Amino acid sequence: MSVSQFNPPDARLLDDIRDLVGADGWLDGEDAQRYFDDPRGRFEGRGCLIVLPNSTEQVAAIVRICNAAKVGIVPYSGGTGVVAGQLSIDSDNAIIMSLERMNKVRQISLDDSVIVAEAGCILENIHSAAQEHGLMFPLNMASKGSCCIGGNLATNAGGIQVLRYGNARELCLGIEAVLPCGTILSELSPLHKNNTGYDLRHLLIGSEGTLGIITAASLILKPVDPETGTALLAVKSPAHALMVYREIRRHLGDSISALELMSGLGLDLVVGKFPSLRSPFEQSHDWALLLEATGPLGLGDRLESALTDCLEKKLVLDAVIAQSQSQRDSLWELRENTPAANRMAGAFCNSDTSVPISKVDAFITDTIAAISRIHPDVQINSYGHIGDGNIHHNVFPPAGVTKAEFLASNPGIIDTVRMAINDITRRHGGSISAEHGIGRLKTRDLETFAGKARRETIRRIKFALDPNNIMNPGVLTN
Ligand SMILES: Cc1cc2nc3c(=O)[nH]c(=O)nc-3n(C[C@H](O)[C@H](O)[C@H](O)COP(=O)(O)OP(=O)(O)OC[C@H]3O[C@@H](n4cnc5c(N)ncnc54)[C@H](O)[C@@H]3O)c2cc1C
């Protein structure tokens, strides 16, 4: 775990910040508690002031005050990050800057197919704003009702439609941000072509609040396809899931927008924890594949004929195709409630690594075997974005054993399991963080698994732009 280097702010500095934002612009004490919650309940944040600026100018003024005094700021958007990037876990001296009051859609340009949204816009609200104009913003994930675009860009979030539309990075044309010195970088132009030196937008995207505070972004909107096909398929193994992917891609090309692997254990778990949900299959299967494709009229027929081929070739054991929006929603609820079900079941490990698609099958086999060698009775729910090579392993205590009891009798098992998954990921040419980032949770893993050139370059960039180390100290580098 990293040791965050936060200098203590003096009372005068805190007063100056309070005066600057006014009575509605800050919180402390009891009111601050919700900013210290970790979505997985593993960490508890700390801090001396929650500040809620309502304009880019206010953000810049606060940053200038903190930079002059070398006081650390933790940027905070929706608080759904799962690697403790938005939580100061070692120090009470952090100033938490929440962008939640900067939640306006500034502009929608239909000709440019671009929406300009402030950093505190909740992702789902951006979806609704795009929909009102007959367009869609493709970034989508189970946390969409709470996470905000500032956090999505700061983590270069992925989600369920990366296969077709890319990560947050691929959906952003321009950025407005406050740099650590307090200068406003205003680059919200919707240009698709702009070769004028370093692309600073891409430096800030994925920087997890360590190089500046994103205050707004120009985002790419896409046309809504007239037809959507959604199916849940029972398959024998991850290898079969990948064969199904190949077969369906042959029929549908790039129309596949989502491809989510779910384990039989995971399906049973989500249905067990959420009694309103039901598995559409009459019998249990070891694995399932949730597939969605969108495209021109006739896509549904093409999907059906692709699935008929898969059934005939015995790649698929059973298939349910959604016949209405409500059936589609029911299938997606199984997947979207999986993270919550994992948490309710006492998961003590939630991995987020990726490997090349060609290695996914071997990766799943090898990791499950390695985790079972560490403890033969743990339960493993492996699921995720198989089309991106991004499989999450969630590991639970054996049936009937609570998480607290299990961790007490198996000290160190969290780190042992995580390192085993990281080792196998590396062996298969993968990345130790596919979509959640490094945060404070994985800084040591980055030290271990990233090459020397990457580590040194990250450090040099960080300290060139933020010599006083005020932007999210302890994240990425420590
Ligand atoms: C149920 C659930 C499902 C999830 N599914 C996915 C998924 O499918 N794919 C995926 O990629 N992630 C997923 N996540 C993780 C999380 O939702 C994403 O990382 C999301 O992008 C974080 O956004 P946020 O607004 O909540 O950011 P926060 O949690 O507030 O912050 C995340 C990081 O970004 C920094 N940051 C926040 N705002 C700014 C800003 N304006 N400027 C600079 N830095 C900033 C923070 O300091 C922190 O380091 C999931 C999380 C949950 C709880």
Side-chain angles (χ1 to χ4, degrees):
M1 193 65 55
S2 67
V3 177
S4 309
Q5 301 126 10
F6 286 94
N7 290 331
D10 63 25
R12 173 124 178 239
L13 180 141
L14 295 176
D15 282 344
D16 286 349
I17 292 178
R18 288 191 193 102
D19 288 347
L20 200 138
V21 290
D24 296 337
W26 60 273
L27 301 165
D28 61 10
E30 280 286 289
D31 297 332
Q33 282 310 307
R34 78 175 183 84
Y35 298 87
F36 301 146
D37 289 345
D38 172 36
R40 290 188 173 147
R42 193 167 159 203
F43 304 104
E44 192 169 356
R46 294 153 67 174
C48 57
L49 183 72
I50 314 294
V51 60
L52 314 150
N54 66 9
S55 68
T56 304
E57 290 69 29
Q58 279 194 358
V59 174
I62 297 163
V63 170
R64 279 196 291 272
I65 291 174
C66 290
N67 193 39
K70 302 188 179 172
V71 162
I73 300 174
V74 176
Y76 184 105
S77 283
T80 67
V82 290
V83 288
Q86 75 282 19
L87 302 171
S88 162
I89 50 182
D90 300 320
S91 171
D92 291 323
N93 295 326
I95 292 176
I96 317 296
M97 183 184 286
S98 167
L99 279 295
E100 71 199 61
R101 292 207 298 163
M102 293 186 60
N103 57 12
K104 286 190 272 310
V105 169
R106 289 190 191 162
Q107 194 194 343
I108 294 190
S109 164
L110 298 182
D111 286 339
D112 291 314
S113 291
V114 162
I115 185 169
V116 181
E118 291 184 340
C121 280
I122 292 177
L123 180 58
E124 204 166 42
N125 294 346
I126 298 179
H127 293 165
S128 307
Q131 237 167 20
E132 280 172 28
H133 294 270
L135 294 166
M136 53 102 75
F137 179 56
L139 188 69
N140 202 349
M141 61 199 78
S143 53
K144 61 179 179 277
S146 312
C147 66
C148 303
I149 194 66
N152 298 146
L153 289 166
T155 55
N156 186 28
I160 53 179
Q161 300 206 107
V162 172
L163 198 54
R164 179 155 177 203
Y165 299 104
N167 295 302
R169 185 185 296 288
E170 277 82 37
L171 296 166
C172 177
L173 286 177
I175 279 267
E176 179 190 88
V178 173
L179 302 175
C181 55
T183 303
I184 298 172
L185 178 78
S186 192
E187 302 207 336
L188 286 171
S189 160
L191 289 176
H192 284 267
K193 289 187 157 183
N194 178 8
N195 277 345
T196 50
Y198 303 136
D199 196 329
L200 302 179
R201 152 191 61 160
H202 285 312
L203 202 53
L204 282 150
I205 297 173
S207 66
E208 301 184 50
T210 61
L211 298 180
I213 296 177
I214 297 167
T215 48
S218 299
L219 307 165
I220 298 176
L221 300 177
K222 297 282 183 185
V224 178
D225 285 314
E227 264 194 55
T228 301
T230 308
L232 189 69
L233 316 173
V235 291
K236 202 168 144 200
S237 67
H240 284 79
L242 289 166
M243 286 188 255
V244 170
Y245 177 36
R246 272 198 292 277
E247 183 66 26
I248 294 188
R249 209 170 35 179
R250 213 170 51 76
H251 286 258
L252 300 184
D254 287 339
S255 300
I256 303 171
S257 52
L259 193 72
E260 296 292 309
L261 183 73
M262 299 178 74
S263 70
L265 183 137
L267 259 182
D268 290 347
L269 190 68
V270 76
V271 171
K273 297 290 176 194
F274 292 88
S276 63
L277 304 183
R278 287 184 42 227
S279 165
F281 299 130
E282 279 172 15
Q283 64 184 84
S284 292
H285 294 282
D286 287 343
W287 297 93
L289 193 58
L290 179 58
L291 180 146
E292 189 156 280
T294 60
L297 293 177
L299 174 114
D301 294 340
R302 282 164 57 214
L303 176 61
E304 269 189 43
S305 88
L307 290 179
T308 306
D309 271 8
C310 289
L311 282 158
E312 279 170 4
K313 290 180 180 167
K314 304 215 182 316
L315 299 178
V316 166
L317 305 170
D318 199 355
V320 176
I321 304 180
Q323 302 299 327
S324 64
Q325 186 58 43
S326 84
Q327 286 183 7
R328 179 168 298 128
D329 292 345
S330 302
L331 295 182
W332 272 108
E333 278 179 53
L334 294 168
R335 169 62 183 88
E336 289 186 338
N337 285 299
T338 297
N342 287 330
R343 188 183 165 184
M344 289 154 93
F348 64 84
C349 164
N350 330 77
S351 73
D352 169 41
T353 72
S354 62
V355 293
I357 315 279
S358 55
K359 309 281 184 184
V360 167
D361 180 36
F363 168 75
I364 295 176
T365 307
D366 292 354
T367 38
I368 290 178
I371 297 166
S372 304
R373 275 195 302 275
I374 293 168
H375 197 297
D377 300 325
V378 291
Q379 306 177 79
I380 308 165
N381 178 17
S382 309
Y383 72 100
H385 321 297
I386 189 168
D388 315 326
N390 177 193
I391 297 296
H392 305 298
H393 294 293
N394 276 248
V395 188
F396 315 95
V401 182
T402 67
K403 181 173 165 181
E405 285 165 357
F406 184 73
L407 294 182
S409 52
N410 292 275
I413 192 161
I414 295 180
D415 283 341
T416 312
V417 169
R418 196 178 80 246
M419 290 311 274
I421 296 172
N422 282 344
D423 275 333
I424 295 165
T425 300
R426 173 160 63 182
R427 207 179 329 126
H428 289 296
S431 162
I432 57 146
S433 177
E435 59 177 9
H436 294 157
I438 297 297
R440 292 183 170 79
L441 179 65
K442 291 190 176 179
T443 48
R444 216 178 55 199
D445 296 358
L446 190 69
E447 284 293 314
T448 311
F449 291 95
K452 190 165 174 242
R454 162 164 283 272
R455 282 184 280 125
E456 284 183 2
T457 309
I458 286 177
R459 198 170 273 275
R460 282 202 198 114
I461 292 172
K462 163 73 177 170
F463 288 103
L465 291 187
D466 184 15
N468 293 328
N469 193 22
I470 64 156
M471 284 292 167
N472 228 354
V475 164
L476 274 182
T477 48
N478 58 36

